[in-house]
Amino acid sequence: MPTALALLREGGLTVHGRLTEASNAALYCTVALGSLSAQVVYKPVSGERPLWDFPDGTLAGREVAAYELSTATGWALVPPTVLRDGPHGPGMVQLWVEPDPEATPLLALQDPSGPEPGWLPIVRAEVGGGRTALLVHHDDDRLRRLAVLDAVLNNADRKGGHLIPAADGRVYGIDHGVTFNTEGKLRTLLWGWAGDPLPAEALEMLARLAGELDGELGARLSPHLTAAELAATRARVDALRGTGLHPLPSEDWPAIPWPPV
């Protein structure tokens, strides 16, 4: 990890193209430092579109804050991410994770009478011709960890395309620009455990976070978040510990991102 972070922070960035499906400017690049090189995604602040519910120019910093918090969980769910200058000005630079084409699918459409064993329901969806199907996600501990992380981050946009099964066996989460809002905005596909008791490992992790948010972790997050956003993060951690449950969808905010994948 120290080597990866040094490469991201200090390496020379070369832009090769733009990821055209991204809502904000997301550039596919290589970064090189001496004999080391890697593929990365670079999201310059100058390419961020204004949002009504997030301050302008803050999405790159929120991506870095999500990485820092993910690192503090010990679960390594977000690829190494830094904030640095680049060809188009300051922005977020994140190590590129290539999806494993041989990985077991994480999402599926199944018969509305489902879900099948090993899968958890998300929502019934119209699939055309008056037909419906059940959108499901895998009952997978890697996804469950991401569901807990998203509850802490207050992730407003956990689409299926933001879940990357990698060749190392991990599932990584990407695209964390719309996180850490002070208002409840959790919007995700990972609702299969809603209302269920949190696993013991999650409660242990939340207990650690509660202490670290008032110490070193809080100091690492503070350049990217306001005092109110940090306080709201602490409150979400406390709430999860207090209930001991995965959160339920809000009745005041759309629970499913659009488009879902």
Side-chain angles (χ1 to χ4, degrees):
M1 192 64 68
T3 300
L5 292 173
L7 177 62
L8 295 179
R9 291 190 180 110
E10 302 168 22
L13 276 174
T14 301
V15 177
H16 298 286
R18 180 172 179 175
L19 306 177
T20 56
E21 294 183 0
S23 55
N24 296 293
L27 306 178
Y28 180 74
C29 307
T30 52
V31 61
L33 182 65
S35 62
L36 296 175
S37 65
Q39 288 74 44
V40 298
V41 60
Y42 161 50
K43 298 181 182 179
V45 173
S46 60
E48 295 179 6
R49 296 182 180 180
L51 298 173
W52 67 269
D53 52 350
F54 286 85
D56 292 350
T58 67
L59 305 190
R62 294 172 194 278
E63 295 242 30
V64 177
Y67 164 71
E68 294 287 0
L69 195 144
S70 166
T71 300
T73 67
W75 292 342
L77 300 173
V78 178
T81 311
V82 302
L83 190 67
R84 57 162 288 180
D85 200 17
H88 299 283
M92 179 278 282
V93 176
Q94 183 175 85
L95 192 67
W96 180 271
V97 177
E98 189 69 23
D100 179 5
E102 303 299 323
T104 301
L106 301 174
L107 300 169
L109 288 171
Q110 296 180 356
D111 188 277
S113 63
E116 298 172 7
W119 297 84
L120 298 173
I122 305 169
V123 67
R124 281 182 170 78
E126 295 184 4
V127 293
R131 297 176 297 119
T132 61
L134 188 64
L135 180 62
V136 297
H137 67 70
H138 215 274
D139 187 2
D140 187 313
D141 288 342
R142 300 170 300 173
L143 292 182
R144 192 166 192 173
R145 286 178 168 184
L146 273 166
V148 176
L149 177 68
D150 284 343
V152 176
L153 299 179
N154 194 18
N155 192 349
D157 195 32
R158 177 62 78 200
K159 293 183 173 73
H162 300 170
L163 304 168
I164 310 296
D168 63 3
R170 294 180 179 272
V171 174
Y172 293 93
I174 62 169
D175 284 348
H176 296 102
V178 286
T179 50
F180 294 104
N181 203 294
T182 56
E183 299 180 8
K185 291 185 179 290
L186 183 58
R187 184 166 54 186
T188 176
L189 291 182
L190 303 179
W191 287 118
W193 301 279
D196 288 354
L198 290 166
E201 68 162 0
L203 292 172
E204 293 170 3
M205 178 275 291
L206 291 167
R208 292 197 310 273
L209 279 188
E212 293 181 16
L213 281 166
D214 290 322
E216 184 179 346
L217 176 59
R220 295 201 304 271
L221 297 180
S222 60
H224 311 296
L225 305 175
T226 66
E229 288 166 344
L230 276 172
T233 303
R234 293 187 189 96
R236 289 191 296 273
V237 170
D238 290 344
L240 288 167
R241 296 180 68 198
T243 65
L245 303 174
H246 285 273
L248 295 168
S250 170
E251 297 180 357
D252 302 320
W253 176 256
I256 303 293
W258 186 261
V261 295

